[in-house]
Amino acid sequence: MKRSLLVVSVLLSFLVLGAGAGPATAAKVKVNLTKVGQKALANKKILKVKVRSARKGKIKVRAFSATFDKRDKFSALTKVARPKFKRKGQLRVVKLRLTAAGVKAVKSCEDRDIRAQAGGRRSAVKAMIRQTAACAPKAIDLSRSSRCDFIAAPAPSVCMTPFPSNWYTRADPSTPTGRRINFRTDAMPVNDKGIPIDAAPYADSDGFSQGQTLLVQVPGLDNPAALAKTNPPNLTNPERYSAPNTPIVVINTSTGKRHPIWVELDSTTSLPQFTSLMIHPLVNFDPATRYVVAMRGLKNAAGKVLTAPMGFRYYRDNLPTVPAGKAAINQRRTHFKDIFKKLRNQGGIKRSNLYLAWDFTTASDENNSARALSMRDQAFATLGDENLADRTIQGSAPAFTVASVDDNVNAQVARRIKGTFEVPCYLKNDSGLQACAPGATMNIGSDGMPARNGTWTANFECIVPRSIVNRPASPGPDDPSADRLGRALVYGHGLMGSIAGEINATGQRMLGARGFVVCGTDEIGMSTPDIQPVIEALTDLSRFPRVADRLQQGLLNEMFLARLMIHPDGLVSKAAFRFDPEATDPAEVPGAPDDTVPGGSTLEPVLQTGNSVRSFYRGNSQGGIMGGALTALAPDFDQASLGVTAMNYSVLLTRSTAWSTYGAFFNPAYPDELARPLALGLAQMLWDRGEPNGYAHRMTTNPLPGTPPHNVLMDVAFGDHLVTNWQANVQARTIGAKAVSPFVSPGRWGSVKAEWGIDPIPSYPYAGSAISYWDSGPERPGGNPGEVIGTNAPPIGNTAPTSGEDPHEHPRISELAVGMFDEFLRDGGQVTNPCAPGPCFAGGYTGP
């Protein structure tokens, strides 16, 4: 399309044939649109064309127009006129009457090319000027155009919307995506002290989070009634993402397909003018992929279609640029032309009725995992194992010390053992503390990868069950102790907790009774010692790398613990992890706990060990969440049981009752309600290196380098107050988990289609990854006065459940659930369904 001009005066040249005349000679035709711009065309419905003929007779004259949406195919704009020329060289002004469709066409704001035709000759193509009040270009605020994208006219307090956007990247052929994040600190959200989030830590990223929430403020579409009128895809109609007329779409430019999304408004804000529109992926976006977002037909509460922002209309309608904004606007015209072409060719989406469109590129898997993989490979190489892909233990065990043992802890636990082990440290600490201590950040070497900086002494605690040390002399085939030696199970604890607080909890004791030795270490980065750095990060997100970076060290610690548990020279080399089956009380340690057991000893180990032995993982809550990232990286286990799990903390936080504690620090620090979801979305980009949102595509069947494929069993509490069900389902879709079906009893989800996109398990036992729901029943009176038990479906909005009983703890202590975990967490373990044919119940609920 040609650029529009404020005044158009065009000379069009034709060779014209007179009606019934002989051979034509050269002729000139003049078409003057100076006085018939858009207003005149729409009002008078006449297009004047000056035609000069070389011969006498009648000539057929007509005008045509074309727009981008019609792929530049010209269609009739006017009716046909046949003016008669009485002499050679006569010049006539021909009035072409617009067709009804032509009148409608010129009233639109589309960039429209007009071409006249006289006889068999065509004029040159020229653009129609837009003059009506609705279509004419208007000045926009470009005062922040060097750092803020202006296409959506973001509120003065917020710069970086729409977000994410490739406007905030730059080309970089050295990265897997060909892009690099190019944030400016002076564009980032500021806290209550006026401190902007530091842009520097993002410069190493080659794209946005694969689970990124898309954010934009749409005045008018900022209340529930308007959202209902607009009717985008959401949790109640997820299939609408693919409907031809759906108002919001996200297109994968590599495949040309629409990506499944759900749309909501920020429910945490106080007023509509502070409310962001939030677009979430129903399954995480593909890695290293460019996406184009299109919004059209957005409506307000009265059902009126909203007018596109002026900044975007400069590109959509190809409007001429006002002099003051010429450079800022014109430099992006080619980029938007490509966006419109992608939408038209791949999505069949018209440019003319767009409210807004933009593009973004997701981070590569290398971006998310390279640091953690480098740390892992370097650390295991120090043990002498440089080939993690062969699934064979080589080299030495991590150094460790047993500090203490408690014997005869309770009816289920024979020993509780505490100690420490050594892990290479890849962090640095500017506070003067040990390099890997709370508050540390990544120690990056000259190659851009983590560099070792000493050693971290990690803690561990283990429980040895009586089912191991008190085995009957001749166990029956169904007795859990028939396994003889304990299966090594690494356990991950809950939010900001410690392994000391959970290792002896009911769920772990129940697993121990089935033949597991359970060990865990603090998940540093988000453990009790990290509470202060986490709070400091919530009040100033420039400090967030102190959380995200230390989480990656924590993942390495857990991998070293798994190796320590199954290595023949690991835990079982100490007396604390041996027992004398002939002793009066086998629970007692046969010697000093830290004594090294000599070779050839008749003392039996409590753990299965060997070069080809595998460990297992079980985590709950935060441990279930973080266990997803650990699983994607772990070389020493193939099966992971993730309890009350999900991913993507930026989406989880406000949907958790725990946010009442942590939001009390974040919200006052970031009082601008429009900036809050943006700030959390920015944090997610760094969080992805240490939580499963950045690893989900590689967690199961498409493993990272040097890593085996994994199977994952997710157990989810229906209506969980702490970890939202909605993101558990996103994780299940992303990792390819199938459903233990039915999820819940009919009607429990209300209008939500929770099982959408998650196929049911076809038959049992099932050798793959799965998600199971455990329902504690609807909200109802309990057995005590004023007691309420059960819970209802979680709210659809981004707030936490507040009514009923929190079922968060119930699946882990259900006998049926623990039996399912047991069958899964073993060599060749598979998913079983102890609840068939109905859904699974927990918390004492037995069904409707």
Side-chain angles (χ1 to χ4, degrees):
M1 307 293 281
K2 302 295 189 295
R3 189 184 303 270
S4 299
L5 302 175
L6 292 177
V7 177
V8 183
S9 182
V10 189
L11 293 177
L12 304 175
S13 298
F14 287 91
L15 292 176
V16 194
L17 294 175
T25 59
K28 291 185 177 181
V29 179
K30 295 182 179 180
V31 179
N32 192 328
L33 300 177
T34 303
K35 297 181 180 179
V36 285
Q38 183 186 29
K39 285 185 179 180
L41 285 171
N43 294 334
K44 297 181 180 180
K45 304 175 184 178
I46 294 292
L47 175 68
K48 294 181 180 179
V49 180
K50 292 182 180 179
V51 180
R52 186 188 299 275
S53 174
R55 287 184 173 274
K56 296 188 295 182
K58 291 183 178 181
I59 298 176
K60 181 180 179 181
V61 183
R62 197 174 190 181
F64 303 83
S65 74
T67 63
F68 180 90
D69 287 337
K70 293 186 177 180
R71 299 178 183 267
D72 300 328
K73 292 181 179 178
F74 283 82
S75 58
L77 180 70
T78 68
K79 299 177 180 179
V80 175
R82 290 182 171 82
K84 183 177 182 180
F85 292 82
K86 297 180 179 180
R87 61 182 182 277
K88 297 180 181 180
Q90 181 182 0
L91 175 66
R92 291 198 56 179
V93 176
V94 181
K95 294 181 179 181
L96 299 177
R97 185 169 296 279
L98 271 63
T99 64
V103 174
K104 182 178 179 181
V106 299
K107 288 182 178 180
S108 76
C109 296
E110 291 181 83
D111 185 23
R112 183 170 300 279
D113 285 344
I114 297 177
R115 183 178 71 194
Q117 182 168 332
R121 302 302 181 186
R122 296 174 179 174
S123 73
V125 174
K126 293 297 179 181
M128 182 189 74
I129 179 174
R130 270 67 56 85
Q131 298 169 313
T132 65
C135 298
K138 300 176 181 63
I140 58 174
D141 181 6
L142 294 170
S143 61
R144 300 186 295 168
S145 61
S146 63
R147 64 185 190 277
C148 305
D149 191 352
F150 53 80
I151 61 169
S157 62
V158 177
C159 175
M160 297 172 62
T161 59
F163 182 86
S165 169
N166 276 341
W167 196 88
Y168 299 102
T169 67
R170 61 180 175 84
D172 187 342
S174 69
T175 70
T177 66
R179 310 298 304 174
R180 186 174 293 279
I181 294 297
N182 192 33
F183 295 157
R184 285 179 45 162
T185 298
D186 59 357
M188 303 283 264
V190 299
N191 66 6
D192 59 330
K193 305 280 192 307
I195 301 172
I197 300 171
D198 184 10
Y202 297 87
D204 291 332
S205 297
D206 64 4
F208 300 92
S209 172
Q210 295 170 12
Q212 198 85 57
T213 297
L214 282 54
L215 300 166
V216 64
Q217 184 190 17
V218 181
L221 180 49
D222 48 19
N223 60 86
L227 190 67
K229 289 288 186 181
T230 300
N231 192 23
N234 55 44
L235 292 173
T236 66
N237 61 1
E239 71 286 348
R240 185 159 164 70
Y241 87 94
S242 62
N245 64 339
T246 196
I248 300 175
V249 298
V250 179
I251 294 176
N252 181 322
T253 62
S254 296
T255 64
K257 295 180 179 179
R258 295 186 185 184
H259 192 88
I261 57 170
W262 55 288
V263 181
E264 65 176 345
L265 294 172
D266 186 356
S267 302
T268 69
T269 58
S270 57
L271 293 170
Q273 58 264 39
F274 303 138
T275 300
S276 294
L277 187 74
M278 310 170 80
I279 305 167
H280 305 283
L282 280 160
V283 54
N284 267 15
F285 297 117
D286 290 347
T289 300
R290 182 189 179 202
Y291 288 87
V292 173
V293 187
M295 307 172 75
R296 69 252 175 97
L298 308 187
K299 298 177 182 178
N300 63 16
K304 181 180 179 181
V305 175
L306 299 175
T307 301
M310 189 67 222
F312 175 67
R313 284 197 50 234
Y314 274 102
Y315 303 109
R316 184 195 73 180
D317 300 336
N318 199 19
L319 296 176
T321 310
V322 294
K326 187 172 182 179
I329 294 174
N330 287 350
Q331 65 183 348
R332 300 173 68 191
R333 288 192 184 275
T334 299
H335 182 75
F336 272 97
K337 186 176 182 180
D338 180 68
I339 287 176
F340 298 139
K341 182 178 288 187
K342 289 284 191 296
L343 290 174
R344 182 185 70 182
N345 296 349
Q346 296 184 317
I349 294 172
K350 291 183 178 180
R351 171 177 174 175
S352 59
N353 62 359
L354 287 171
Y355 174 87
L356 199 65
W358 74 94
D359 66 335
F360 68 94
T361 300
T362 53
S364 64
D365 287 333
E366 295 90 336
N367 176 89
N368 296 335
S369 64
R371 292 182 178 184
L373 281 174
S374 176
M375 293 164 62
R376 181 198 72 178
D377 292 349
Q378 291 182 61
F380 277 86
T382 67
L383 301 177
D385 194 343
E386 297 184 356
N387 183 10
L388 298 178
D390 65 2
R391 300 162 60 94
T392 301
I393 294 175
Q394 302 175 52
S396 58
F400 74 104
T401 299
V402 175
S404 66
V405 177
D406 293 331
D407 290 337
N408 294 301
V409 177
N410 53 46
Q412 295 162 307
V413 177
R415 298 176 195 164
R416 179 172 180 169
I417 306 169
K418 300 179 182 180
T420 59
F421 62 105
E422 303 302 313
V423 188
C425 172
Y426 295 91
L427 306 181
K428 61 183 179 180
N429 205 313
D430 297 330
S431 63
L433 300 175
Q434 198 274 347
C436 271
T441 55
M442 198 68 69
N443 185 46
I444 300 296
S446 58
D447 62 352
M449 287 292 106
R452 183 171 179 177
N453 190 20
T455 300
W456 172 249
T457 301
N459 69 319
F460 74 82
E461 293 199 23
C462 302
I463 56 169
V464 177
R466 293 189 183 277
S467 64
I468 300 296
V469 301
N470 291 342
R471 292 195 304 265
S474 301
D478 297 327
D479 193 310
S481 62
D483 290 334
R484 302 294 298 171
L485 299 180
R487 283 170 279 168
L489 183 67
V490 176
Y491 179 75
H493 63 73
L495 181 64
M496 305 307 297
S498 67
I499 195 60
E502 293 188 36
I503 194 65
N504 192 35
T506 302
Q508 286 63 269
R509 296 199 304 270
M510 293 174 72
L511 286 166
R514 290 177 173 268
F516 291 95
V517 173
V518 185
C519 296
T521 182
D522 287 353
E523 293 184 321
I524 67 170
M526 291 177 67
S527 62
T528 301
D530 296 287
I531 289 177
Q532 187 59 35
V534 166
I535 291 174
E536 291 173 354
L538 288 172
T539 58
D540 180 1
L541 284 174
S542 294
R543 298 175 176 176
F544 193 75
R546 301 179 186 183
V547 178
D549 290 358
R550 198 162 185 257
L551 283 172
Q552 295 167 73
Q553 178 71 42
L555 295 173
L556 176 61
N557 295 353
E558 290 182 295
M559 285 185 272
F560 255 46
L561 179 59
R563 175 61 61 95
L564 189 61
M565 293 182 74
I566 60 176
H567 197 291
D569 297 326
L571 294 182
V572 297
S573 69
K574 301 290 187 178
F577 292 90
R578 295 277 183 146
F579 71 101
D580 182 354
E582 304 299 328
T584 303
D585 183 4
E588 292 182 359
V589 177
D594 200 44
D595 283 350
T596 301
V597 178
S601 171
T602 58
L603 296 176
E604 293 199 23
V606 300
L607 280 161
Q608 300 175 26
T609 61
N611 290 342
S612 60
V613 169
R614 310 298 285 168
S615 60
F616 305 93
Y617 180 82
R618 168 71 182 169
N620 280 305
S621 195
Q622 178 183 285
I625 295 169
M626 294 301 299
L630 176 65
T631 299
L633 293 163
D636 287 343
F637 64 78
D638 309 312
Q639 307 281 105
S641 173
L642 308 181
V644 286
T645 183
M647 66 183 187
N648 196 329
Y649 272 105
S650 65
V651 181
L652 295 176
L653 289 176
T654 62
R655 288 178 152 87
S656 173
T657 52
W659 191 239
S660 62
T661 297
Y662 296 99
F665 296 98
F666 176 78
N667 289 340
Y670 289 90
D672 188 330
E673 293 177 322
L674 280 171
R676 287 175 188 166
L678 173 59
L680 293 176
L682 289 164
Q684 187 62 51
M685 294 173 63
L686 303 180
W687 227 331
D688 278 355
R689 295 190 178 116
E691 74 118 305
N693 192 64
Y695 295 84
H697 287 294
R698 312 302 293 275
M699 194 186 300
T700 53
T701 57
N702 182 27
L704 292 167
T707 312
H710 296 89
N711 289 323
V712 168
L713 175 60
M714 302 169 59
D715 57 285
V716 182
F718 175 82
D720 197 324
H721 289 195
L722 286 169
V723 181
T724 179
N725 293 166
W726 313 137
Q727 284 302 118
N729 296 342
V730 172
Q731 178 168 302
R733 296 182 193 106
T734 306
I735 69 173
K738 295 188 181 299
V740 177
S741 187
F743 268 180
V744 291
S745 300
R748 287 289 278 144
W749 286 114
S751 60
V752 171
K753 298 177 182 177
E755 294 181 55
W756 182 90
I758 307 174
D759 294 331
I761 293 174
S763 63
Y764 297 92
Y766 171 66
S769 296
I771 177 173
S772 61
Y773 267 84
W774 296 81
D775 186 4
S776 299
E779 188 176 334
R780 60 199 185 278
N784 301 316
E787 181 185 18
V788 176
I789 60 175
T791 190
N792 294 325
I796 294 178
N798 60 325
T799 56
T802 56
S803 62
E805 177 188 20
D806 185 3
H808 187 68
E809 304 279 343
H810 292 168
R812 72 188 75 177
I813 58 174
S814 162
E815 285 287 355
L816 285 179
V818 174
M820 182 187 282
F821 310 154
D822 177 25
E823 293 297 323
F824 182 77
L825 296 172
R826 55 178 66 227
D827 291 338
Q830 299 183 75
V831 179
T832 57
N833 186 2
C835 312
C840 293
F841 302 123
Y845 182 62
T846 58

